[in-house]
Amino acid sequence: MTHLDGNVLAGPLSELFRADMTTATGRCAHCGDVSVLAEAVVYDAAPGWCVRCHVCDDVLMTLVQAGERLRVDLRGVTALEVG
Amino acid sequence: MGTVESTSTLTPSGRSITVSLPGWPGNIAGQHVDVRLTAPDGYQAVRSYSIASVGPAELVELAVDKLPTGEVSPYLVDDVQPGDMLELRGPLGGWFVWKPEQTGPVQLIAGGSGVVPLVSMVRSHTASGSDAPFRMLYSVRTPDDVFYREELAGSGVQVDYVYTRAVPAGWPTGPGRLTKDRLAASVFPVSETPAFFVCGPTAFVEAVATWLVELGYPAETIKTERFGG
């Protein structure tokens, strides 16, 4: 299964956050890497996405889109920073 | 919601679609939109498409290459007509973008329809009168598959083509995939500290990014956007 990257999350996350989240940095809870979300590895797992750390491959977050509802699970992100 | 204003054929599988979007805030070169299609039974599919146009106009140009197995691109390339409505969300993305205030050398590297956001960067470069050195490496299957060939040729940006399946008459080499050596010979040298924008199929983007790091370019100067494939 081929993957995408965090650029594709700009639209879905715009439903939840006011700032562009592809330029936000996130810290991986597993390995501590801090990177912009655009560099995360994203698997299209319709009806949602599985987002993994580009360093250690652990799950950073999952998104599930059901109609107009979006559910985001941030299990593997210990800090998000924008600006 | 936008209304399709006009369409034009770019290649045998590619089409330009201009959408009228009242209230569109304008976009930065490299940004994308999400297009959502809803079937009569309520089934929805969303796909991201790069914006070829740039600037404040309320007419937004998308350039779409048809994936035969795709859920959205066949409709956009084969079916959509002027007057049809399209549900768009955007402009999206603030990372894979070039802004005219960036003055350093820029090396664009495209695989197939990954050229679209890079075309918007070339257009932004031209429109702003930027004197930042720009160069493009464009890997494409055949000469017929090139998007915006004449526009690129007239842009003043040096474009190096790599043809992977068929070459134009008189081309000095046969078709073949991009190699590390060919890449090294076709981009700004390390000493010029170029900023890279690499867009295309995932395997292409990752091969190129890996080679660039091996060639001595700092990883933080390489921005990538993958569209699967």
Side-chain angles (χ1 to χ4, degrees), chain A residues 2-5 7-15 20 22-23 36 38-41 44 46 49 65 67-68, chain B residues 32 34 36 44 46-48 87 89 92-96 202-203 205-206 219-220 222 224-229:
Chain A
T2 190
H3 57 271
L4 303 166
D5 55 44
N7 292 297
V8 77
L9 302 175
L13 289 175
S14 72
E15 302 293 319
D20 165 51
T22 62
T23 52
V36 294
E39 294 188 312
V41 178
D44 187 344
W49 297 268
Q65 183 86 52
E68 298 302 316
Chain B
H32 66 270
D34 285 353
R36 182 162 75 171
Q44 292 186 324
V46 179
R47 291 293 181 277
S48 299
E87 191 178 356
R89 175 172 58 190
L92 298 170
W95 192 73
F96 194 82
T202 299
V205 168
E206 297 196 345
E220 61 271 18
I222 304 164
T224 55
E225 186 168 71
R226 297 155 181 80
F227 59 65

Side-chain angles (χ1 to χ4, degrees), chain B residues 8-11 13-19 33 48-53 60-66 73 76-77 112-117 119-120 123 147-148 227:
Chain B
S8 68
T9 299
L10 294 172
T11 68
S13 61
R15 191 187 198 196
S16 159
I17 301 160
T18 300
V19 185
V33 294
S48 299
Y49 293 101
S50 292
I51 305 165
S53 51
V60 175
E61 184 189 359
L62 309 179
V64 179
D65 198 35
K66 181 169 61 176
S73 61
L76 295 178
V77 173
S113 59
V115 76
V116 177
V119 165
S120 78
R123 290 177 173 181
F147 279 24
Y148 303 108
F227 59 65

Side-chain angles (χ1 to χ4, degrees), chain A residues 68, chain B residues 1 35-46 72 75 85-87:
Chain A
E68 298 302 316
Chain B
M1 294 295 283
V35 178
R36 182 162 75 171
L37 300 184
T38 305
D41 67 358
Y43 175 79
Q44 292 186 324
V46 179
V72 176
Y75 171 76
M85 302 292 280
L86 276 182
E87 191 178 356

Side-chain angles (χ1 to χ4, degrees), chain A residues 28-82:
Chain A
C28 173
H30 181 248
C31 75
D33 173 72
V34 177
S35 294
V36 294
L37 198 56
E39 294 188 312
V41 178
V42 177
Y43 292 91
D44 187 344
W49 297 268
C50 179
V51 185
R52 291 179 175 271
C53 174
H54 74 126
V55 174
C56 75
D57 208 43
D58 220 44
V59 175
L60 295 171
M61 65 178 84
T62 59
L63 297 83
V64 177
Q65 183 86 52
E68 298 302 316
R69 293 185 63 78
L70 173 71
R71 183 174 188 279
V72 181
D73 179 330
L74 293 162
R75 71 186 72 183
V77 183
T78 54
L80 279 172
E81 190 172 318
V82 295

